[in-house]
Amino acid sequence: GCTVKYSGYLGNWSKLFCSNGNSKYPRLMKLGKDITLWGLEIGLLSMTKGEAALFVLTPEYAYGQRGCPPSIPPNTTVLFKVELLDFIDSEECDAFFELTYEQQDRLPLEKVLKVAATEREFGNYFFYKQRFKIAKDRYKRALSILGRSSSSKAEQSQINASKLLLFLNLSLTYLRLERADRALKYGELALEMDQGNAKALFRCGQACLYMREYSKSRDFLARAQCIQPFNRDINNELKKLA
């Protein structure tokens, strides 16, 4: 999936026929599904995140012999100005979620952790676009594949590290969705894994404050402050509580 700012022109950069340049938050698009121009696909795959490029696409790489009436005449060379804002490779994730549970279970842990990390990346992308419900679903999807337990201590600690990040992400996302009860639940799950996690204590404190459970909130925030005495967010939350 990628987010792209693009403008398409005919002729000598003279006639604009498509653009999403006015969109503050361009949507995440899939190559081959939302972006189907062959030349544009090839061009985007050659780019790195943050790069801007100009592409000249001859008809066989663009709209072919027929064109796309009425805006694009037959046999037209088109020009694209493109900026690749973000790129997340979802191919492995898509393939993973098409497998049965038994097949998923047989895959090496390394692959499972990679898919979970990519799903978390998608969640972060949607979170920063303030699309919290979609972010929550992506974080939960990542969590759903980390249920396996391992006899190896090293493997289990890798699984737990991945789960911990997702618990923290979900706690914050539920705070944004104003579901403090769920935010507290995921904050406490994070604390079960790492009782000295200042971020988890802070999230639990925020959730309790939102639910007006003031003494519980003070307890969580004071523990967080002991670990990070100079953290401005924690100190501000304690002032708010007072």
Side-chain angles (χ1 to χ4, degrees):
C2 59
T3 45
V4 180
K5 262 193 178 173
Y6 64 84
S7 301
Y9 298 86
L10 300 178
N12 193 17
W13 301 105
S14 55
K15 189 181 176 191
L16 180 73
F17 68 87
C18 71
S19 174
N20 73 342
N22 294 329
S23 171
K24 193 179 175 187
Y25 296 122
R27 70 190 180 89
L28 195 67
M29 295 188 287
K30 268 196 170 182
L31 293 173
K33 189 178 172 191
D34 305 305
I35 299 168
T36 50
L37 276 195
W38 190 26
L40 207 46
E41 268 198 74
I42 294 168
L44 284 165
L45 286 168
S46 73
M47 294 174 73
T48 55
K49 188 171 162 179
E51 189 180 349
L54 303 174
F55 295 121
V56 177
L57 307 184
T58 54
E60 63 269 33
Y61 289 98
Y63 297 95
Q65 291 181 348
R66 288 183 170 184
C68 191
S71 50
I72 295 149
N75 283 316
T76 302
T77 292
V78 293
L79 313 162
F80 271 92
K81 192 188 282 184
V82 174
E83 188 183 350
L84 183 60
L85 304 174
D86 215 338
F87 179 79
I88 308 169
D89 187 357
S90 64
E91 197 176 346
E92 227 173 329
C93 288
D94 296 341
F96 179 89
F97 285 106
E98 280 169 19
L99 301 173
T100 64
Y101 287 125
E102 290 77 19
Q103 288 171 322
Q104 288 178 8
D105 244 7
R106 285 199 293 270
L107 287 175
L109 178 66
E110 190 187 336
K111 183 155 268 196
V112 176
L113 291 172
K114 193 177 173 197
V115 169
T118 305
E119 282 297 315
R120 183 171 166 264
E121 218 180 311
F122 272 111
N124 292 347
Y125 169 83
F126 287 112
F127 183 92
Y128 289 116
K129 295 281 180 274
Q130 306 204 341
R131 298 175 70 184
F132 302 121
K133 278 187 177 163
I134 303 175
K136 171 202 60 147
D137 291 342
R138 297 312 283 248
Y139 294 142
K140 283 194 168 177
R141 196 155 101 126
L143 208 49
S144 74
I145 66 169
L146 293 171
R148 61 163 78 181
S149 59
S150 174
S151 52
S152 146
K153 219 172 180 182
E155 281 200 350
Q156 194 58 54
S157 77
Q158 282 181 288
I159 294 168
N160 289 351
S162 193
K163 283 169 92 167
L164 178 64
L165 290 172
L166 288 160
F167 289 152
L168 291 169
N169 284 142
L170 278 161
S171 186
L172 179 57
T173 306
Y174 274 116
L175 281 171
R176 293 287 183 272
L177 288 166
E178 299 186 349
R179 291 286 313 278
D181 55 328
R182 307 292 292 164
L184 178 61
K185 177 198 153 183
Y186 282 105
E188 287 178 329
L189 283 170
L191 286 173
E192 280 174 29
M193 289 193 161
D194 178 9
Q195 59 181 8
N197 190 296
K199 206 174 261 188
L201 290 164
F202 178 56
R203 299 271 175 265
C204 290
Q206 284 180 298
C208 290
L209 179 55
Y210 186 89
M211 293 189 289
R212 300 196 167 123
E213 294 184 15
Y214 299 126
S215 64
K216 243 175 123 177
S217 176
R218 187 177 295 109
D219 180 48
F220 281 123
L221 292 171
R223 281 161 66 196
Q225 192 185 42
C226 281
I227 297 160
Q228 291 187 1
F230 302 108
N231 184 307
R232 191 184 297 170
D233 292 333
I234 296 169
N235 293 332
N236 284 343
E237 207 70 10
L238 276 162
K239 279 179 197 166
K240 200 193 290 181
L241 174 66

